[in-house]
Amino acid sequence: MQRFISNSLIGFTLLCITGELTAQESKEPRFRLSGFGTLDVTAAGTKQIGYHNEFSHAPQYGGVSIFSGSVGGLQLDADLLPKLSATIQGVAKERTKHDMFNFLDWAFLRYQVTPNTTIRAGRMGIDLFMLSEYRNVGFAYLWARPVLEFYMPISLSHFDGFDIKYSRRIAPGFFEIKAYGGQTGSDITVSRGDLSLRERPFFGANASLETDHWKFRLTFASAEVHAIRNQPYHQLQNALNNVPSAFWPQAAEVADHISAEGKQSSYYSAGIAYDKNAWVVQSEFAWFDSKWPSVNLTNGYLSVGRRFGPVTWYSIGSYAKSLNPPLNLQTDPAAPASIARLQDITETAFNRTLIDQNTFSLGARWDLNHQTALKAQWDHTWVRKNGGGFLITQEPLAHDTSIDTFSVNLNFIFK
């Protein structure tokens, strides 16, 4: 934890120094410093089941924690030339790996080609969801946290590359289309330990239409796993590839089935939101299609809120389900005991990645003023047998279970 605080302070200091030095070199640019934060208290998990609301968070085994949902961020925007601007954003929160690579969430240049067209290059947020541009800004959305079943599978927060966006007003409302490409990666925690994932090429596109009260959105993205670093994963791959075919002819085939490197994954999603008078409704659904079986799943949610003055009460129903069945390897009675043991380890490793759960949530948001909101939320989650991939467990879930999560947090922005 001391290392986390130290790296975060270093990052914030560098961010502020950068703005001061640039301002001294040129008097023309305009600088705008803004920030956001969430102070969170969460009770979650059990002694046997570790809970985290992002794969990049350390698991919480029961009790109360202030690190599950607490976030702090600073953003510096600079107008360098009439059509050229720069943005740097640093985010401090609980992570599997604390370094400047993960702390620096945004660092890009933006060029206004025409009044309707912009190009950006550098490090930018991954635009896959309704909350893409403000996933870490708790004040900007209704709930105590992004819906776990929908947002947790995408553990990526940024990518390095470029995007081009075209937007204009049309008869129904405001239309926007964006295309992007580059590379991405993340450092996360799973049941097999810490895992580093790097993906390239990464590319995609999305389109949205927004009227006075409605917003519609379609998204497509694709990425190829370039490298994965996880010691148990590589040990298992090596063991499978070194099995003599005479003892287990399908070992190499199984190794390829569960491997990740070089495999392409595609993501499709659709979202809709309605906000008028007292009612606010939002829903998103997605489908992952991948040659890496651990990634194949479908997920979605429906959120309905009702405003009563400064307080909004809301409920959420959400789900996530893997599309691949549990691995069931048939053991040859004549095979050596070591082969049977390896088959058991392989089944366990794969089945621990599968996801099958639903959550019902109730919560309230109280807007204290235009820059501060207090939220409280209760989640009840049903997790089915061999469906605990979002949790940290020692073994695949051998039976259905359920867990409760309680959160209270204070969200704020400043500019």
Side-chain angles (χ1 to χ4, degrees):
M1 190 60 206
Q2 183 178 4
R3 183 183 176 189
F4 166 64
I5 296 173
S6 175
N7 283 335
S8 300
L9 291 175
I10 292 172
F12 280 126
T13 303
L14 290 175
L15 192 63
C16 295
I17 290 175
T18 300
E20 293 176 1
L21 292 178
T22 309
Q24 293 174 3
E25 293 174 1
S26 173
K27 295 182 179 180
E28 294 181 359
R30 291 187 306 156
F31 296 92
R32 297 175 300 279
L33 184 65
S34 57
F36 54 87
T38 296
L39 303 177
D40 178 84
V41 177
T42 293
T46 68
K47 292 182 179 180
Q48 292 77 33
I49 298 176
Y51 164 89
H52 49 185
N53 54 41
E54 292 185 26
F55 279 123
S56 58
H57 289 180
Q60 180 179 344
Y61 292 94
V64 175
S65 173
I66 63 172
F67 302 114
S68 293
S70 295
V71 180
L74 280 178
Q75 180 172 317
L76 178 66
D77 295 285
D79 296 327
L80 305 177
L81 294 171
K83 294 185 177 182
L84 183 67
S85 63
T87 296
I88 298 176
Q89 184 186 99
V91 177
K93 63 180 182 179
E94 176 63 38
R95 299 183 190 272
T96 298
K97 187 177 181 180
H98 302 294
D99 57 18
M100 284 301 297
F101 175 84
N102 288 310
F103 170 81
L104 189 64
D105 220 35
W106 296 356
F108 61 84
L109 292 174
R110 178 179 182 271
Y111 182 70
Q112 189 83 30
V113 182
T114 71
N116 301 108
T117 307
T118 59
I119 296 177
R120 300 187 303 175
R123 171 165 293 187
M124 296 157 287
I126 290 183
D127 196 2
L128 299 179
F129 327 102
M130 290 283 199
L131 307 186
S132 294
E133 295 295 322
Y134 45 90
R135 184 174 179 174
N136 289 311
V137 187
F139 181 82
Y141 52 84
L142 177 62
W143 322 300
R145 73 187 68 82
V147 179
L148 186 146
E149 278 80 5
F150 192 80
Y151 288 88
M152 189 171 179
I154 302 292
S155 60
L156 312 167
S157 64
H158 52 248
F159 78 101
D160 301 318
F162 74 95
D163 68 20
I164 180 168
K165 179 175 69 175
Y166 175 80
S167 56
R168 63 172 297 171
R169 292 199 172 275
I170 59 177
F174 188 78
F175 174 75
E176 179 179 292
I177 186 168
K178 179 192 290 186
Y180 47 85
Q183 62 180 4
T184 184
S186 62
D187 299 301
I188 64 177
T189 297
V190 293
S191 291
R192 300 181 306 279
D194 293 348
L195 184 149
S196 293
L197 181 70
R198 300 294 177 260
E199 297 182 278
R200 66 171 184 255
F202 167 74
F203 59 91
N206 57 63
S208 64
L209 176 64
E210 190 168 359
T211 67
D212 290 340
H213 306 297
W214 292 91
K215 183 174 183 179
F216 306 90
R217 176 189 170 96
L218 294 173
T219 301
F220 164 76
S222 183
E224 181 179 310
V225 177
H226 174 70
I228 185 170
R229 292 195 296 272
N230 175 258
Q231 186 176 1
Y233 164 81
H234 288 295
Q235 288 175 340
L236 179 58
Q237 286 287 314
N238 291 335
L240 290 170
N241 286 320
N242 289 326
V243 172
S245 59
F247 292 145
W248 185 9
Q250 296 80 23
E253 181 181 342
V254 172
D256 180 69
H257 178 71
I258 66 174
S259 68
E261 285 94 343
K263 292 188 175 179
Q264 193 84 14
S265 299
S266 297
Y267 172 84
Y268 309 85
S269 73
I272 184 172
Y274 172 80
D275 190 341
K276 184 178 181 181
N277 299 329
W279 291 97
V280 54
V281 181
Q282 183 166 307
S283 181
E284 293 180 272
F285 291 89
W287 172 45
F288 295 76
D289 180 25
S290 177
K291 295 181 180 180
W292 183 15
S294 296
V295 177
N296 282 327
L297 64 88
T298 177
N299 59 352
Y301 69 89
L302 172 64
S303 168
V304 178
R306 178 68 162 81
R307 296 187 181 96
F308 297 90
V311 178
T312 304
W313 293 89
Y314 62 86
S315 63
I316 312 167
S318 55
Y319 80 96
K321 181 176 176 58
S322 293
L323 298 175
N324 282 80
L327 192 62
N328 184 16
L329 300 174
Q330 299 298 321
T331 303
D332 183 355
S338 59
I339 299 300
R341 175 59 178 160
L342 180 58
Q343 290 176 331
D344 183 62
I345 292 173
T346 304
E347 279 189 14
T348 299
F350 179 82
N351 293 341
R352 282 165 65 179
T353 68
L354 299 178
I355 298 161
D356 188 1
Q357 68 176 58
N358 297 75
T359 295
F360 176 73
S361 305
L362 288 175
R365 171 186 171 129
W366 179 17
D367 285 280
L368 304 176
N369 54 50
H370 293 300
Q371 294 182 296
T372 311
L374 182 65
K375 304 178 188 178
Q377 183 171 315
W378 164 70
D379 306 315
H380 184 76
T381 301
W382 295 267
V383 187
R384 293 166 185 81
K385 178 181 177 181
N386 286 321
F390 285 157
L391 306 172
I392 302 298
T393 59
Q394 296 302 313
E395 299 289 341
L397 287 179
H399 54 79
D400 295 353
T401 189
S402 63
I403 56 175
D404 290 286
T405 305
F406 302 90
S407 295
V408 176
N409 56 44
L410 180 69
N411 304 267
F412 59 88
I413 57 173
F414 66 86
K415 52 186 177 180

